[in-house]
Amino acid sequence: MIHVLNLTKYYGDYPAIQFVSFDVPAGQIVGFLGPNGAGKSTTMRILTGYLTATSGKATIAGLDVFWDSVEVRRRIGYMAENSPLYLEMRISEYLHYRAGIKGLYGAERKKRIGYVLDRCWITDVRRQIIGTLSKGYRQRVALADALLTSPPVLILDEPTAGLDPAQIRSTRGLIRELGQEHTILLSTHILSEVEMTCDSVIIINRGKVAISSSLADLARKAGERARLVAIFDHAVESDAFLNLPGLTEVVPQALPDGALVRLSSPDMVDLAPKVCALAAQKGWRIRELRSERATLEDLFVQITGEV
Amino acid sequence: MRASMSLLRREFSAYFLSPIGYVVFAVFLAVTGHLFSLSLGLLTARGPKGLSYPMQLMVNDVSFWLVYLFIPPLLTMRLFAEERSTGTLEILLTAPLRDGQIVLSKFLACYGFYVLLWLPTLLYLPVLLDWEWWTMQSGIDPWPVVTTYFGLALAGAMFLALGMLVSSLVKTQMVAALVTLFIGLLFILAGLWRPADMDTSGLAYQVLYFFTVPLHFERNFSRGLIDTRNVVLYVSLTLFCLFLTVRSLESRRWR
């Protein structure tokens, strides 16, 4: 649905994004992940036609975002960062106006406004002036606006930023539901959000795509780098582990009341019984044995090089 | 087309959602009302006083131009600068509207409010024109009034287009207002003050006359004259500013 090829954007001499390429297949929810200033918003603004790329090409539903900008914008529901709104208007007035400039009129307009008000849980407050609403409600108004024309593509720039935990949870639920009818590209820097809502993830760092893969693949990749953590009640000779077949790495660590050993192996399933057998043979007392998976967060930190 | 109308309606109603619209309206009505009462005094005075033309005092007075100077900046400052500072420009420009549609809708909304400002002054006309209701004819020549309104309509379009252009270039309303005020001053200053001994046939005066709007009203529009030089200046500058505003909006795409 969204194809991006070698997108590059310079602000003066500063490259905001460089040779960014990715694909978002129809019907998927794709998380766009990256540290602040990585170029997420810039990429989204190019896709929505607010900015133009310095070079490269992006198409949405087969239409070029530069040459067919207006047609592309008709097919996109965009929720901008920090959800800017006209604060002096009432919610219903605002949505009425937005429906008008998006080409919805008459009975259809009324129907869609009613639908999005309901969908985003703002029917009760529709008479309120937007300026008097809390951040969470404003986010929902912006989302309702994005949904007005039921566009095939939704581009959401940090849809859950600044919400409280309950609101984040309900918004995620909503996004997952919306994912059944829309193709969604959402940016965030909350990692658990991506794990919970998205089908695949694009991690962008310093203007370049670092990883673009499905969450299942990422989980597999993370699994490859899983480790077994064994905690003993007393000090152990870590050299003994080296005799175990297939072990690639042993990292011992002394604890005040015992010892901790991190073991890595390409074959995690077999490792735990072997360690138990070794412990039994040596008469060690195992206090805890658990596997430690690399989380998306580890991956993210590793890629972006931030602590 | 209907999308443009939606935008136009919002922009127009936005004037009534902020205090600035009401303040402009009140001050404008107070000044034109005061000038009307002065005109009435002159028209009914005994002796060799009076007015040569019905709208003469209303558009040639210094206090009128002082107030008029502030109207375009106050009406246009919010058009783009406010949207830029609050970030709503992004959601406006990512809606399926062409830049030209946005500029034209905003301009017409602003112009609509300007026209609205002048509507109450139509109430003064029956008196100024010595209107006779039973014959539906004015007691004096009505054309100076028509040309005055014609001039005001075109001059207003020019000032508003200038203001909108400035608003599309800057980030804050305050800066937009001040810059527009300064540019407006260039067109109005010589009407408020110029050397008393100025030679009206000299080159300096000719140049001043070319772009000083109050002089156009004093010499032409309020007397029932239409000088095409003035009309060409207003219309061409309006269109040029609208064109530049579209380009200025577009500039985000090639900057």
Side-chain angles (χ1 to χ4, degrees), chain A residues 170-188:
Chain A
S170 54
T171 307
R172 280 178 194 156
L174 177 62
I175 289 173
R176 257 200 310 271
E177 278 175 42
L178 292 172
Q180 289 162 9
E181 350 168 359
H182 307 268
T183 304
I184 302 179
L185 179 65
L186 71 92
S187 82
T188 177

Side-chain angles (χ1 to χ4, degrees), chain B residues 160-239:
Chain B
L160 294 178
L162 271 167
M164 185 169 68
L165 173 63
V166 172
S167 182
S168 78
L169 292 170
V170 300
K171 269 204 179 74
T172 56
Q173 295 196 61
M174 186 56 91
V175 176
L178 289 175
V179 174
T180 309
L181 192 68
F182 178 75
I183 295 176
L185 202 58
L186 296 179
F187 286 92
I188 285 176
L189 185 64
L192 303 178
W193 177 88
R194 56 182 181 272
D197 55 350
M198 200 164 194
D199 176 12
T200 50
S201 60
L203 181 68
Y205 183 86
Q206 290 299 320
V207 172
L208 271 186
Y209 168 72
F210 180 69
F211 62 85
T212 301
V213 176
L215 285 182
H216 302 163
F217 279 88
E218 190 183 317
R219 284 180 39 174
N220 303 322
F221 294 117
S222 71
R223 294 181 179 179
L225 292 173
I226 292 176
D227 185 339
T228 45
R229 283 177 296 178
N230 310 150
V231 173
V232 166
L233 172 72
Y234 300 164
V235 171
S236 59
L237 207 53
T238 303
L239 295 179

Side-chain angles (χ1 to χ4, degrees), chain A residues 202-260:
Chain A
I202 298 162
I203 298 183
I204 185 169
N205 186 38
R206 292 193 193 138
K208 290 175 179 158
V209 173
I211 277 192
S212 170
S213 77
S214 73
L215 271 185
D217 281 349
L218 269 191
R220 204 171 307 132
K221 209 174 279 177
E224 280 168 12
R225 299 190 302 127
R227 279 173 295 198
L228 191 70
V229 178
I231 300 177
F232 299 95
D233 273 354
H234 45 80
V236 295
E237 330 130 41
S238 57
D239 290 348
F241 293 104
L242 290 173
N243 299 328
L244 291 176
L247 209 64
T248 50
E249 197 187 5
V250 178
V251 185
Q253 184 188 343
L255 294 179
D257 56 342
L260 181 151

Side-chain angles (χ1 to χ4, degrees), chain A residues 45 50 52 73 78 86 105, chain B residues 3 83 90 93 95 252-253:
Chain A
R45 284 175 173 174
Y50 181 59
T52 318
R73 283 182 252 164
Y78 177 46
Y86 296 113
Y105 308 103
Chain B
E83 301 231 30
E90 187 173 346
L93 294 179
R252 77 185 189 277
R253 310 183 98 224

